[in-house]
């Protein structure tokens, strides 16, 4: 699975459900349906998918969207939920529950109940992130009019220092 490229200023969040009582192989069938889709389209797909795993994955996706909203709120940045997409989603195998089934002549057969760890990550589309950063910079320039405001906003959003301007110091 290829890593998703992150863009400066884009908001990302993930959610994880551990020890979900279902087979990871069956959950992967549903995860493959939503990978790369917009978040709202993925929710609609999950709502009308007749698999038991769809209900659990929908809860995790809703949690990831809520985490992204909370992250944007804490950063003080506006977030359009319609611009979120499913950046990563995968299923890992959890611990297996070993059980015994009675068999003839006093014997016992072992069987395993499988569990899964579900992970869904959402991210803001890079075009929407660039527009949001540009809007914040324009608003900061309009309000303050102070030299270097755009650089401070860019630094706050990306965590990187902008290169210094050439000319007078």
């Amino acid at each position: 699975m290829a890593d998703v490229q992150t863009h400066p200023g884009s908001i990302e969040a993930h959610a994880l459900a551990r020890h979900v009582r279902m087979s990871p192989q069956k959950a992967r069938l549903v995860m493959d349906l939503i990978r790369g889709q917009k978040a709202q389209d993925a929710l609609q797909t999950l709502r009308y998918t007749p698999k038991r795993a769809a209900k659990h994955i929908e809860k995790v996706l809703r949690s990831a969207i809520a985490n992204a909203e909370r992250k944007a709120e804490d950063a003080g940045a506006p977030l359009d939920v319609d611009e979120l997409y499913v950046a990563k989603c995968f299923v890992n195998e959890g611990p297996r529950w070993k059980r015994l089934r009675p068999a003839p002549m006093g014997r016992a057969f072992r069987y395993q109940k499988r569990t899964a760890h579900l992970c869904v990550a959402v991210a803001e589309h890079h075009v929407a992130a660039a527009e949001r950063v540009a809007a914040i910079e324009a608003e900061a320039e309009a309000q303050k009019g102070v030299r270097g405001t755009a650089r401070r906003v860019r630094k706050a959003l990306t965590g990187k220092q902008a290169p210094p301007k050439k000319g007078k110091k």
Side-chain angles (χ1 to χ4, degrees), residues 54-160:
K55 182 177 71 170
H56 296 287
I57 295 171
E58 182 181 356
K59 284 178 68 173
V60 177
L61 178 58
R62 287 187 187 279
S63 179
I65 293 170
N67 290 345
E69 288 176 346
R70 179 61 186 245
K71 208 174 206 183
E73 182 182 313
D74 289 346
L79 175 69
D80 187 9
V81 179
D82 296 333
E83 295 298 330
L84 291 177
Y85 71 100
V86 179
K88 289 189 225 175
C89 61
F90 55 89
V91 180
N92 289 330
E93 188 171 338
R96 297 178 181 183
W97 298 350
K98 277 80 171 187
R99 297 292 184 260
L100 296 175
R101 172 170 289 143
M105 293 188 281
R107 292 177 298 175
F109 294 148
R110 287 186 64 176
Y111 65 97
Q112 297 174 353
K113 294 186 173 188
R114 298 176 190 274
T115 62
H117 301 320
L118 311 175
C119 182
V120 176
V122 295
E124 188 178 23
H125 198 272
H126 65 88
V127 174
E131 289 175 359
R132 184 174 50 80
V133 169
I136 290 173
E137 287 178 353
E139 182 181 337
E141 285 293 324
Q143 285 182 356
K144 302 269 177 147
V146 178
R147 189 170 162 227
T149 304
R151 187 178 299 152
R152 284 194 301 272
V153 170
R154 191 176 304 117
K155 179 182 175 186
L157 287 174
T158 62
K160 296 179 183 175

